[in-house]
Amino acid sequence: MSSYSINKVSPQGLLVAIGIVFGDIGTSPLYVLSAVMRGRELTETLILGTLSCIIWTLTLQTTIKYVIITLRADNKGEGGIFSLYALVHRFSGRWLIIPAVVGGSFLLADGLITPPISVSSAIEGLLIFDSKLDTVPIVIGILVALFVIQQFGTQLLGKLFGPVMLVWFTFIGIIGGLSLLGHLSILRAINPIYGFRLLTQYPGGFWLLGGIFLCTTGAEALYSDMGHCGRGNIRASWVYVKLTLLLSYAGQTAYLMQHLGQRVGDTSPFYSIVPASLTIFSIILATLATIIASQALISGAFTLVGEAMRLNFWPRQRVAYPSNERGQLYVPFVNWGLMFGCILIVLHFRESKNMEAAYGLAVTLTMIMSTLLINAYLRMKGTNVILTGLITALFLVVETTFLAANLVKVEEGGWISITLGMLLMGMMVFWYQGETITHELIQYDSLPDNLPVLKTLSNDLNVPKFATHLVYLTSADDYGQIEAETLFSILNRSPKRADIYWFIHLCVEDEPYGMRYKVDTLAAEDAYFVTFYLGFRIEPRLNFLFRQVVLDMVSDQEVTIETKYRSLNVHRIAGDFRFVLFKRFLSYDNELTTYQQVIMKGYLLLKRIALSTKEAYGLDTSNVVTEAVPLVLTPAKRLDMKRMPSHLNSPISES
């Protein structure tokens, strides 16, 4: 996405941004004030202080941090915590992998809570008509349907997102504004002193920040969806979205101010300000809005895992592209895992009020990690050191305060999101470290020095031909070297004669959608080294990409692909292509440290759920050979083994 298009504002772009970006944060009015007020006696300090905190949280966290500052950090037009890491990690050292992995893990963990709490809070509006209604089957039915349709793509459904969300925001703004008209005095809550009084004068007021924080939980989506909607459209549409959100919160606050001295029950203040004649309409509209919010989060999870795979943070999974929409992908493993988890969450908590304790805690950790990455971005851009320090300190103070207030939720249900986040983080650490250790074990040899023996083998008719074209994937980033195990496979492990040897290297670039390649001719008609430079959001379909490269080379008369069998060559029959892949296993000849044992056991366990190399790189199974290669991390020491004397004094003579 060019700098022009990412900043461009258009009516269609604004509608798309409203439909995709603001679903999570836009459905927060359904449960935020209910989470803070439930079971408490209503006082002016509590009510106005809560509204004041909401106003300034949306201003500091959502508007200033994300809309104004973080949206500046685009990686070739793309956003999100992994895109940000890919943008800045080269300039700030390897330590940035920590906030990237922690932030990404807890962002995924929060995705397990968002669909259940959003849909439940909308469906529970039906309790106005029947307080004993069991909403659990309805919520589970909606969630299952939502996850099932993912495999078919949501391109058609996505066209409805913008109009529906526009109606939603307009509706909550008008209803809130009408409720506010008769009680404009509550607008004095704009003064942050009311928020300060809540935190310092109201009993336990500080811990209420855990509920107040829910008003900004969708802020991370603003950044993650920048590649789909553009920075300009997000910033422009946020002006309208924020206005309607504040009107909704203010309208609910006006309603609560009319009931000072009373206690708030289970009925949401949101539905309490809706006219009775519009209740059914509001429940239907809220349900649609929460489904859209859930859909946006699910799509975000697919994108996040896709980026993690490209950056080597996640085991390779099958990725499908169900539509022609740029960037839209479908990861079955993630989809069904999320669905199973969401169902368990609904069955465990049953009501949205019980889910509030588990919600938001993980996002605070993600926001803290994104602040650390933004600090690295500002330093990379040469922003004034003092200004960078002040910005970082401001957001760290705000976010750590919210984190501290959210810690009270751990025992009440927050442990679920924390546990899930830790498990996901463990997966990323095991996979990244395992891949790093495995890569460090690879030994390289000079490819140019071995070209003569490859050419000799290619022309040795005494060796049965293995393939016309023999292809190896290599981690070597230039033609000067090749894995020793590749040469061993060709020369020693049942020598493999071929007319032409191809070596392919895949380089994943920080640019999201880049597609380039380079061909180094090592020996004409004998050996070639092909390097692909693909963006981290491009599916590495090497079989398809390699075929295109070969056809381009044939067109340019750089290589001939016809078989050299005389009976077939006269008819210009193309030769066969065969790929040789390696499957690594942990050798018994190892003496590992405790750390290495833990990492490698976790890594090899994850490989069981990961795609094989041929599936991950889109290689046809009909022309792939896989060879087993032992991994030796720490060679075993020579054993103190003594040879026993033989009973025979001399060799047995042949009769």
Side-chain angles (χ1 to χ4, degrees), residues 346-409:
V346 174
L347 291 175
H348 176 73
F349 289 110
R350 304 195 68 84
E351 298 180 49
S352 62
K353 66 179 181 180
N354 300 327
M355 300 177 196
E356 292 160 3
Y359 190 45
L361 181 55
V363 177
T364 56
L365 290 168
T366 299
M367 288 185 171
I368 291 173
M369 297 304 111
S370 66
T371 295
L372 297 177
L373 291 170
I374 282 297
N375 173 268
Y377 169 78
L378 293 175
R379 288 188 286 109
M380 182 188 78
K381 286 296 185 179
T383 306
N384 181 276
V385 176
I386 296 177
L387 180 59
T388 299
L390 290 175
I391 291 173
T392 305
L394 171 64
F395 293 124
L396 285 180
V397 167
V398 172
E399 288 157 0
T400 52
T401 300
F402 276 122
L403 177 62
N406 270 300
L407 289 177
V408 74
K409 296 180 176 182

Side-chain angles (χ1 to χ4, degrees), residues 168-188:
W168 166 255
F169 285 118
T170 303
F171 176 77
I172 66 173
I174 292 174
I175 294 298
L178 292 174
S179 177
L180 170 65
L181 283 178
H183 304 83
L184 292 177
S185 61
I186 68 162
L187 293 180
R188 62 185 188 274

Side-chain angles (χ1 to χ4, degrees), residues 578-653:
R578 182 170 291 188
F579 291 80
V580 177
L581 306 177
F582 298 122
K583 181 179 180 180
R584 296 178 173 85
F585 64 93
L586 195 61
S587 171
Y588 289 108
D589 297 334
N590 275 299
E591 289 187 359
L592 306 178
T593 64
T594 302
Y595 172 77
Q596 288 176 326
Q597 289 181 19
V598 173
I599 289 295
M600 293 309 296
K601 286 181 179 179
Y603 171 67
L604 294 175
L605 184 64
L606 288 174
K607 284 186 77 72
R608 296 184 179 182
I609 65 171
L611 286 182
S612 63
T613 303
K614 61 184 177 183
E615 292 173 314
Y617 291 109
L619 302 176
D620 291 334
T621 55
S622 60
N623 63 348
V624 175
V625 175
T626 302
E627 298 181 351
V629 177
L631 286 174
V632 182
L633 276 69
T634 309
K637 298 178 181 178
R638 180 179 175 82
L639 300 177
D640 186 17
M641 184 169 54
K642 297 181 179 180
R643 178 175 178 176
M644 296 176 61
S646 172
H647 294 296
L648 297 175
N649 294 324
S650 60
I652 299 175
S653 59

Side-chain angles (χ1 to χ4, degrees), residues 169-285:
F169 285 118
T170 303
F171 176 77
I172 66 173
I174 292 174
I175 294 298
L178 292 174
S179 177
L180 170 65
L181 283 178
H183 304 83
L184 292 177
S185 61
I186 68 162
L187 293 180
R188 62 185 188 274
I190 295 174
N191 188 339
I193 192 65
Y194 287 94
F196 181 76
R197 288 175 182 171
L198 173 69
L199 302 181
T200 58
Q201 297 178 12
Y202 186 82
F206 176 81
W207 305 109
L208 296 180
L209 286 176
I212 292 170
F213 178 75
L214 299 179
C215 75
T216 190
T217 50
E220 195 71 32
L222 298 176
Y223 184 41
S224 299
D225 287 320
M226 178 164 56
H228 296 102
C229 307
R231 178 168 49 220
N233 289 317
I234 293 175
R235 284 177 169 172
S237 57
W238 171 243
V239 176
Y240 180 71
V241 169
K242 183 181 180 182
L243 174 63
T244 60
L245 288 175
L246 292 178
L247 285 173
S248 180
Y249 287 122
Q252 294 179 57
T253 301
Y255 166 80
L256 293 171
M257 285 291 288
Q258 299 175 51
H259 298 82
L260 292 176
Q262 299 180 20
R263 290 185 181 273
V264 175
D266 291 336
T267 303
S268 169
F270 175 83
Y271 287 112
S272 298
I273 66 173
V274 176
S277 59
L278 295 177
T279 300
I280 293 296
F281 171 78
S282 68
I283 293 172
I284 295 173
L285 185 59

